[in-house]
Amino acid sequence: MLFRSGSSVSGSTSITTVNGILKQQVYTFATIPSAVTSGAGSRSFISDSSITTFGTILAGGGATTVPVYSDGTNWRVG
């Protein structure tokens, strides 16, 4: 089995455990969906970042693939 997930709920807390590899979509800066629409806490990758400093607002035009997260308004490196 390549991918197995499980979850448990306790009160208002939900925990999901993934055993295996979790593959996320890789976008370019121009094609990543809006950070506002995606919502705070959303995560992805871009393949053309010109910024690599953690927490910095994302900028395209480079050649580095970085993980990104939404703060609810902007995509940030991390």
Side-chain angles (χ1 to χ4, degrees):
M1 175 181 268
L2 177 62
F3 178 81
R4 183 182 81 205
S5 67
S7 62
S8 61
V9 177
S10 173
S12 62
T13 303
S14 176
I15 299 170
T16 301
T17 302
V18 176
N19 295 316
I21 296 170
L22 180 63
K23 185 173 181 179
Q24 292 180 275
Q25 177 71 39
V26 179
Y27 295 93
T28 63
F29 181 75
T31 63
I32 195 166
S34 161
V36 173
T37 303
S38 298
S42 297
R43 300 190 57 85
S44 194
F45 287 85
I46 72 160
S47 61
D48 61 345
S49 180
S50 61
I51 307 279
T52 59
T53 304
F54 183 87
T56 304
I57 293 174
L58 192 60
T64 305
T65 299
V66 295
V68 296
Y69 67 93
S70 169
D71 66 7
T73 302
N74 298 292
W75 286 107
R76 294 183 175 268
V77 175

